Amino acid sequence: MSEKLSLPIGTTLSRFIRERQEQFTYASGELSQLLRDISVAAKVVNREVNRAGLTNILGKHGAQNVQGEEQQKLDVIANNLFIKSLSNGGEVCAIISEEDENITDTQNPHGKYVIAMDPLDGSSNIDVNVSIGTIFSIYRRQSPVGSPVQESDIFQKGTEQVGAGYTLYGSSTMLVYTTGHGVNGFTLEPSLGEFLLSHPDMKIPTKGKIFSINEGSAVDFGQAVKNYVSDCKKNKFKGRYIGSLVADFHRNLLKGGIYVYPSTKSAPNGKLRLLYECNALAFIAEQAGGKSSNGIQRTLEIEPTELHQRCPLYIGSKEMVERAESFIMAGENVE
Ligand code: P6P
């Protein structure tokens, strides 16, 4: 594999993708075009998120998503925007989305890729202007190009991802992604409407002092999780929990830390979804030198069997995840 070409801060996303495509022989033009399609949709969603307070599109859309959660209008808008951009781009044959019970067949039988996405994660924070994000995974289809989409295209382990990323709609809007050759972050320059390279070759610190877990649910934690949380406090780690996975993950990626959404008595598989939340962030975490598991098994190795299957998530700085795993593996018996 050729050495990674280092490109200067301020390089546009389009140029970065083009340069990287030439650099890595595997990279077909289609994957580059797909990444561009995602970035276009992200810019439009960003505009809608920024306008949300002004154009009174806040509040409940009234519909319920497959999770039985109130669907915010922005959720629906973001979902439709990404589906439209990815369908029109022609590179994608199927889309898995948190917002849709079934997969979307894009009617592009010659599309070589499948996308799994959470179009607007953290949507319960929209009304209170807390950062929210889009999370996406990119898979190569397994069935022959031109044939109907098969289950083998949809239920792929996280190790099969050819790309993954997230967009964070915060004080600035960022796009962070990997295609398996490191992690790079781009910040949207609104006056240009361009994502510019701002965080080249991102690496998560091996150690950290931030732990992100919703202690409001502590009554529902098993003893092993309670023991781990006590260990964090004994080590004087700082508790930081925004309640928006992308925002918590991004902070930990930059500063070091661990995000935990554990198995609980009422939700043995936790809350987060394997296909369009955990796998994408796990790919990024590992590419940045971090780690991700369900407390016992590597996230990327978990076999998907249902579209919206959930899994516990321990993700972030390698040494912090390994310490958390030691408590989970010790099991419930240790007080
Ligand atoms: P809780 C948002 O709904 C989300 O999926 C993640 O973005 C966030 O980290 C988590 O759920 C928050 O869940 O149960 O702590 O409110």
Side-chain angles (χ1 to χ4, degrees):
M1 177 174 58
S2 54
E3 278 304 302
K4 275 188 288 200
L5 178 68
S6 65
L7 291 164
I9 299 272
T11 299
T12 64
L13 175 62
S14 301
R15 176 160 174 238
F16 184 91
I17 291 172
R18 192 173 58 249
E19 302 275 341
R20 280 298 170 93
Q21 173 189 335
E22 284 155 17
Q23 205 184 354
F24 296 114
T25 47
Y26 83 93
S28 63
E30 294 96 336
L31 179 57
S32 300
Q33 183 51 49
L34 171 51
L35 288 166
R36 275 189 280 273
D37 294 340
I38 290 171
S39 70
V40 167
K43 287 181 204 171
V44 180
V45 170
N46 174 65
R47 186 192 65 203
E48 295 304 325
V49 167
N50 290 340
R51 280 176 28 193
L54 302 173
T55 55
N56 190 28
I57 60 174
L58 292 176
K60 312 290 183 227
H61 182 256
Q64 302 267 328
N65 68 13
V66 292
Q67 324 301 334
E69 296 162 348
E70 281 292 339
Q71 217 160 358
Q72 301 269 358
K73 288 178 181 175
L74 267 180
D75 272 349
V76 176
I77 291 172
N79 195 45
N80 295 342
L81 281 168
F82 273 100
I83 288 178
K84 187 174 173 193
S85 175
L86 293 170
S87 300
N88 293 346
E91 308 302 346
V92 173
C93 63
I95 300 170
I96 303 150
S97 171
E98 181 194 34
E99 299 302 333
D100 297 318
E101 187 154 0
N102 302 307
I103 67 159
T104 297
D105 185 323
T106 60
Q107 306 304 316
N108 290 324
H110 295 285
K112 294 180 180 169
Y113 297 97
V114 172
I115 295 284
M117 69 174 182
D118 184 350
L120 209 57
D121 177 76
S123 53
S124 54
N125 294 302
I126 293 171
D127 305 52
V128 294
N129 206 21
V130 167
S131 298
I132 50 183
T134 298
I135 308 172
F136 61 89
S137 284
I138 306 173
Y139 293 90
R140 210 183 294 282
R141 73 178 297 174
Q142 298 300 309
S143 58
V145 171
S147 67
V149 174
Q150 308 290 327
E151 279 209 353
S152 58
D153 300 319
I154 304 300
F155 297 114
Q156 301 187 57
K157 290 201 296 191
T159 47
E160 299 308 304
Q161 292 174 91
V162 293
Y166 60 84
T167 314
L168 180 60
Y169 311 102
S171 48
S172 61
T173 294
M174 281 197 71
L175 170 63
V176 176
Y177 82 93
T178 183
T179 55
H181 301 275
V183 178
N184 291 279
F186 299 79
T187 300
L188 183 65
E189 170 45 70
S191 63
L192 302 175
E194 284 275 10
F195 280 107
L196 304 180
L197 182 64
S198 53
H199 297 69
D201 202 19
M202 300 176 83
K203 293 293 178 200
I204 186 169
T206 306
K207 302 178 193 303
K209 291 192 172 299
I210 294 172
F211 71 106
S212 308
I213 187 169
N214 183 349
E215 289 196 71
S217 309
V219 68
D220 216 12
F221 292 164
Q223 192 55 49
V225 177
K226 287 177 180 172
N227 293 344
Y228 174 62
V229 171
S230 301
D231 183 67
C232 289
K233 293 179 175 175
K234 197 166 65 184
N235 286 300
K236 297 187 177 9
F237 290 171
K238 293 193 186 80
R240 292 285 184 276
Y241 194 74
I242 300 172
S244 185
L245 172 58
V246 174
D248 279 313
F249 176 82
H250 184 72
R251 181 206 50 243
N252 293 347
L253 177 63
L254 295 177
K255 295 178 180 279
I258 184 172
Y259 173 96
V260 176
Y261 205 104
S263 163
T264 62
K265 292 164 192 160
S266 59
N269 289 318
K271 173 182 183 183
L272 301 177
R273 290 78 167 186
L274 175 63
L275 278 180
Y276 43 77
E277 289 171 323
C278 301
N279 270 338
L281 299 184
F283 190 17
I284 291 171
E286 291 194 0
Q287 283 289 312
K291 194 169 185 191
S292 179
S293 75
N294 62 4
I296 293 171
Q297 183 182 12
R298 182 187 178 208
T299 301
L300 297 181
E301 292 287 352
I302 296 174
E303 197 69 50
T305 53
E306 293 165 31
L307 279 187
H308 304 286
Q309 95 185 52
R310 302 172 193 267
C311 67
L313 183 66
Y314 294 75
I315 189 167
S317 295
K318 189 168 184 296
E319 289 190 15
M320 295 186 82
V321 173
E322 287 171 347
R323 184 162 181 85
E325 289 168 342
S326 68
F327 280 85
I328 304 307
M329 290 178 196
E332 303 301 302
N333 309 321
V334 176
E335 284 298 328

